[in-house]
Amino acid sequence: MITRERAIEAVQSERFDVVVIGGGITGAGVALDAASRGYSVALVEKADFASGTSSRSSKLVHGGLRYLQSFDLGLVREALLERQLMVKLAPHLVRPLPMVVAALDGARPDRLTGIGLNMYDVMATPALRGRRSARRAARAARDGSDTDAESDWSPARHRTITGAEVTELLPALANREPTGGYLFYDCQTDDARLVLTVLGEAERFGAVCATRLEVCELLGTGEERGVMVRNVENGEEFPVRADNVINATGVWADRIRPEELHSEAEVPTIAPSRGTHVTIAPADLPLDAGAIVPAGEGRSIFALPWLGRTLVGTTDNNYDGDIDHVHPSAEDIEYLLHAVNGFFGTALDTRNLVGAYAGVRPLISSGDNRKSVDISRKAELYETSSGLITITGGKLTTWRRMAKLAVDRLVERDGREAPCRTHEIPLGQPADPASLRRVDGVPGHSYNALAGRYGHAADAVLALAAEDPVLARPIVEGQPDLLAEVPFAARREQARTVLDVLWRRTRLGILAGPAVCARESPVPRQVAEALGRELGWDAERIGAEVERFGADAAGEGISVG
């Protein structure tokens, strides 16, 4: 992407067909869809790209097996087809993940679960060609080394597996001596990286995207249509002129509304739901596949291998707190650890956590008092009499369908002939880790991680590392993330703070929380110095940014242990 300075200059000086509010996955998808249909597009985000719900998911691209229990078959079918498409369009970002439903204590695999998995199989067709063994898929999920998913993977039908196979895929269950289980497949991604990749493609089609521009008000008619924004960094206010406005702000959607509103039905009412996740070192909970973990009262959670850690989540509770700063609550963490310990026979506590995070889902209230777990995850489109289009609800997997819904309405309103193209637009360009340039000082395991995160653009990161040996070093010892990713994030992805780098450009805030957030850790200063060289910070500003990171990390609740 272009620098933030150039983006702000463009949104100030140009007039657009569409301004998109929100830089999460839905807003990114709307920008790509609209730009690829020929619209001129500006996207404004009040914080950092993917800083809300879109960096706080369970990292799954899946149909949602549990939605079959509520007979939400349309949502499951739609999500499964999108899952299939995402593997094809972004094979380096969306990878197959074997999933296991284990049977314990001498029990046979549950028959009702098998019936549900049969439905899952049927709705997942048409399938991609080819198959992949459970062992090979597990290895790809563990180390991210396999980038040929488009040609090599298909969602094979679920099957019954033996206790020994369960133990091979879920070593953490060895002490429970499983008697068997079901094996099926879903997919996994790095959610924040998916957002950044979609935004990059949107820019390739002409969209202009800028962070730290907060919408203050919707503008009226004529030449002044669009939005008034405030530059969060300096307080300056200016209009972004556009003929159409699309609100894709997720859980903030009901805060963006025109002054004249003829009916409350024209805008959504959001019922926020908090989802908490924790990460654990694989030595404490070793998994080579995902596990469905019973959590009591008919609910279940996931335990998943992700980027070298074990990710556990999620909770699903009504939330009425500050949606700008969502903390993982102690009660939610205790709930997750209790479920894990009961299932795997472990004795994990908060000292075993290497990260924790929480996000808020934008569920749409129906006006009753239902629990968030009972509210549908379907996307909804709203249009006011003034022309504002709002798209919200939904889930990470269905972002492309949500964007299509919004832009289809725009096309219909304009009377254009402009069919959706996002089903055929590749998201980034995959790269073989073995083909990346070798740079002295770069650890061997970093190449797989860079290829999985950036695809072909990993060569640009490595070029920075080749220019400066310091940048070839890992940010955190033992982790694959390089200091070279800091200047890359500033130049190419509008990163502006240490938190931007450690939370969303890399994921070290949730994968190595204690190492990053400890008071004596050198990591925040090293990142601030590398970022400061790109953004022109002096020594005083670097010190202030290190202090700011401490406050930001506490505000996000990412420091654990």
Side-chain angles (χ1 to χ4, degrees):
M1 286 182 280
I2 60 175
T3 64
R4 179 174 181 269
E5 290 76 15
R6 286 181 58 198
I8 289 177
E9 181 181 342
V11 299
Q12 279 185 299
S13 61
E14 299 176 20
R15 184 177 183 87
F16 299 88
D17 295 326
V18 187
V19 58
V20 181
I21 311 173
I25 189 59
T26 305
V30 171
L32 173 59
D33 194 324
S36 64
R37 299 200 209 192
Y39 285 95
S40 59
V41 178
L43 180 145
V44 294
E45 161 59 45
K46 72 173 184 176
D48 184 28
F49 298 131
S51 57
T53 309
S54 295
S55 60
R56 304 160 190 266
S57 75
S58 297
K59 322 306 181 193
L60 288 173
V61 176
H62 66 143
L65 189 61
R66 73 182 179 91
Y67 301 134
L68 292 178
Q69 297 173 346
S70 57
F71 296 98
D72 208 342
L73 304 184
L75 176 62
V76 176
R77 167 71 170 168
E78 177 184 89
L80 285 171
L81 295 180
E82 287 300 299
R83 177 194 71 174
Q84 202 108 326
L85 188 58
M86 288 304 103
V87 174
K88 178 181 178 182
L89 297 178
H92 62 301
L93 280 176
V94 181
R95 299 190 186 91
L97 178 70
M99 301 288 295
V100 174
V101 184
L104 303 173
D105 302 323
R108 296 173 60 85
D110 181 71
R111 184 172 296 180
L112 285 178
T113 301
I115 293 172
L117 288 170
N118 271 325
M119 295 175 64
Y120 211 60
D121 292 339
V122 170
M123 286 189 287
T125 57
L128 299 175
R129 297 180 181 275
R131 297 175 68 89
R132 168 184 292 198
S133 71
R135 182 177 300 176
R136 185 173 180 188
R139 184 170 65 250
R142 182 176 63 247
D143 61 24
S145 61
D146 196 343
T147 59
D148 63 350
E150 177 181 359
S151 60
D152 191 42
W153 178 77
S154 72
R157 292 184 63 86
H158 83 279
R159 64 184 178 89
T160 303
I161 57 177
T162 66
E165 289 175 292
V166 171
T167 301
E168 181 181 5
L169 292 168
L170 307 178
L173 266 182
N175 292 336
R176 295 293 311 274
E177 298 182 353
T179 51
Y182 291 114
L183 172 67
F184 69 102
Y185 293 86
D186 262 317
C187 292
Q188 192 176 54
T189 191
D190 179 338
D191 48 6
R193 180 53 47 184
L194 182 62
V195 173
L196 290 163
T197 303
V198 174
L199 286 168
E201 292 302 323
E203 187 178 273
R204 190 167 65 84
F205 281 95
V208 179
C209 309
T211 60
R212 270 96 181 173
L213 295 181
E214 181 176 11
V215 172
C216 307
E217 62 176 307
L218 301 174
L219 299 178
T221 58
E223 286 299 311
E224 291 303 314
R225 283 184 66 85
V227 297
M228 182 67 70
V229 300
R230 181 178 67 89
N231 185 333
V232 173
E233 293 192 353
N234 61 20
E236 178 190 1
E237 294 187 3
F238 59 87
V240 178
R241 298 175 180 85
D243 297 327
N244 302 279
V245 180
I246 298 181
N247 172 13
T249 55
V251 75
W252 293 268
D254 55 2
R255 298 185 179 183
I256 305 291
R257 54 178 65 203
E259 289 186 8
E260 295 185 10
L261 193 64
H262 291 81
S263 169
E264 288 294 330
E266 293 181 347
V267 293
T269 299
I270 301 298
S273 166
R274 180 171 60 192
T276 295
H277 297 77
V278 298
T279 51
I280 300 169
D284 293 329
L285 196 68
L287 302 176
D288 288 331
I292 308 295
V293 178
E297 298 182 352
R299 295 201 57 208
S300 60
I301 61 172
F302 297 110
L304 312 165
W306 185 66
L307 299 184
R309 300 298 193 192
T310 295
L311 175 68
V312 177
T314 179
T315 59
D316 198 344
N317 301 316
N318 296 342
Y319 179 73
D320 59 3
D322 179 6
I323 59 175
D324 290 317
H325 301 284
V326 185
H327 290 247
S329 74
E331 293 80 7
D332 283 354
I333 291 174
E334 182 181 353
Y335 169 84
L336 295 173
L337 290 175
H338 178 76
V340 165
N341 287 332
F343 182 69
F344 290 102
T346 50
L348 303 174
D349 60 28
T350 55
R351 291 170 295 183
N352 297 100
L353 303 185
V354 295
Y357 65 94
V360 184
R361 304 176 188 88
L363 306 185
I364 301 169
S365 173
S366 59
D368 57 27
N369 294 320
R370 288 185 295 171
K371 293 181 180 180
S372 61
V373 71
D374 298 320
I375 300 176
S376 175
R377 269 58 177 171
K378 288 181 180 177
E380 296 286 352
L381 183 76
Y382 297 82
E383 185 175 10
T384 67
S385 51
S386 64
L388 171 69
I389 295 173
T390 297
I391 180 71
T392 191
K395 49 188 278 189
L396 177 71
T397 305
T398 57
W399 66 269
R400 195 195 66 85
R401 294 282 186 113
M402 293 174 66
K404 180 179 183 299
L405 188 64
V407 182
D408 278 350
R409 178 64 190 119
L410 189 61
V411 168
E412 178 186 5
R413 201 164 73 184
D414 290 348
R416 289 197 184 193
E417 274 294 325
C420 179
R421 298 178 52 198
T422 54
H423 61 284
E424 61 186 16
I425 297 173
L427 302 176
Q429 183 179 350
D432 180 359
S435 70
L436 297 176
R437 70 165 74 190
R438 264 36 192 178
V439 177
D440 289 343
V442 172
H445 65 295
S446 293
Y447 294 98
N448 284 342
L450 291 171
R453 179 172 291 161
Y454 300 102
H456 190 263
D459 264 328
V461 177
L462 289 165
L464 292 171
E467 293 172 6
D468 183 352
V470 171
L471 297 179
R473 298 203 310 252
I475 298 174
V476 173
E477 193 64 36
Q479 296 295 313
D481 318 75
L482 303 180
L483 274 167
E485 295 179 69
V486 181
F488 181 88
R491 294 180 194 180
R492 302 273 289 269
E493 297 176 344
Q494 297 190 24
R496 308 290 289 184
T497 70
V498 177
L499 190 74
D500 291 350
V501 172
L502 293 177
W503 178 250
R504 288 171 288 272
R505 302 311 185 279
T506 71
R507 309 315 300 270
L508 290 169
I510 55 178
L511 298 175
V516 166
C517 299
R519 181 173 295 275
E520 67 277 8
S521 171
V523 170
R525 177 163 291 277
Q526 290 172 353
V527 171
E529 289 173 349
L531 201 55
R533 285 192 288 272
E534 293 297 315
L535 301 179
W537 297 345
D538 59 19
E540 183 179 358
R541 175 68 183 274
I542 288 171
E545 291 295 328
V546 173
E547 291 298 317
R548 176 182 177 181
F549 171 74
D552 288 345
E556 299 295 345
I558 67 174
S559 181
V560 299

